[in-house]
Amino acid sequence: MDWQTLLAKAGYRLSEPRKRIMKLMETAEKPLNPLAIHRILREQGIHLGVVSVYRTLELFFALGLISQVFQADGLVGYLPASFGHHHFIVCQKCQKAVEFSGSEDMRELVQRVQTETRYQVSDHLLQFYGLCPECQALLEAGGNS
Ligand SMILES: [Zn+2]
Ligand SMILES: [Zn+2]
């Protein structure tokens, strides 16, 4: 099911701002935060308030269309989400992020956390940082960018 259909099924109208942001998000390779989206749209000649961008992202996130990615600078960015259990690995140099399937076995950790804290665990956040293949190759070639 594509985003447009999902939005419609959830009872939301595909307004022009939503369409613009959807188009940007669908192809994003690097996490985009609301301010970045606002800036990109402005460069395309589209003037959309930051608050509208925030609201649209919140809606997409609530519908499961996008995932949150925590950026090294402390900002929260967004990337298209796939269905099921996934996590991101983010390149610390170029910010490019890719998903990997979340097949990790957390039972032991969850058990320990529950015993230690007496909380009941319902979900988790996991994200890796590192160097993407391209940036590794650049480093090996001694290149500076
Ligand atoms: Zn990289
Ligand atoms: Zn996981």
Side-chain angles (χ1 to χ4, degrees):
M1 204 187 311
D2 63 22
W3 290 31
Q4 219 157 313
T5 316
L6 244 156
L7 204 67
K9 267 207 157 163
Y12 292 96
R13 205 167 53 86
L14 188 63
S15 60
E16 195 58 30
R18 282 177 187 157
K19 205 192 285 180
R20 293 284 178 185
I21 296 174
M22 191 179 283
K23 223 174 152 188
L24 269 186
M25 286 307 313
E26 275 176 330
T27 53
E29 282 200 325
K30 295 176 185 182
L32 294 174
N33 60 52
L35 290 175
I37 291 174
H38 175 74
R39 201 183 51 236
I40 295 168
L41 289 176
R42 206 178 45 201
E43 281 162 7
Q44 296 177 354
I46 299 146
H47 296 271
L48 190 62
V50 182
V51 176
S52 304
V53 176
Y54 268 98
R55 287 209 187 115
T56 306
L57 289 171
E58 267 169 23
L59 173 66
F60 288 175
F61 182 63
L63 292 174
L65 297 171
I66 52 177
S67 304
Q68 284 184 326
V69 179
F70 297 88
Q71 300 179 287
D73 51 14
L75 291 173
V76 176
Y78 293 91
L79 276 173
S82 24
F83 296 97
H85 186 179
H86 280 91
H87 296 293
F88 285 105
I89 179 159
V90 184
C91 179
Q92 284 173 301
K93 204 147 183 267
C94 71
Q95 309 303 317
K96 191 178 161 174
V98 293
E99 269 184 335
F100 60 92
S101 57
S103 57
E104 72 278 359
D105 188 353
M106 292 242 185
R107 276 173 300 186
E108 208 176 303
L109 180 61
V110 167
Q111 198 57 251
R112 184 160 63 77
V113 170
Q114 291 190 148
T115 309
E116 256 181 55
T117 64
R118 291 190 289 133
Y119 274 55
Q120 215 187 332
V121 174
S122 56
D123 208 352
H124 64 271
L125 269 177
L126 178 72
Q127 185 179 299
F128 286 114
Y129 293 99
L131 268 187
C132 74
E134 289 80 22
C135 288
Q136 288 175 48
L138 273 179
L139 268 189
E140 272 159 31
N144 264 320
S145 64

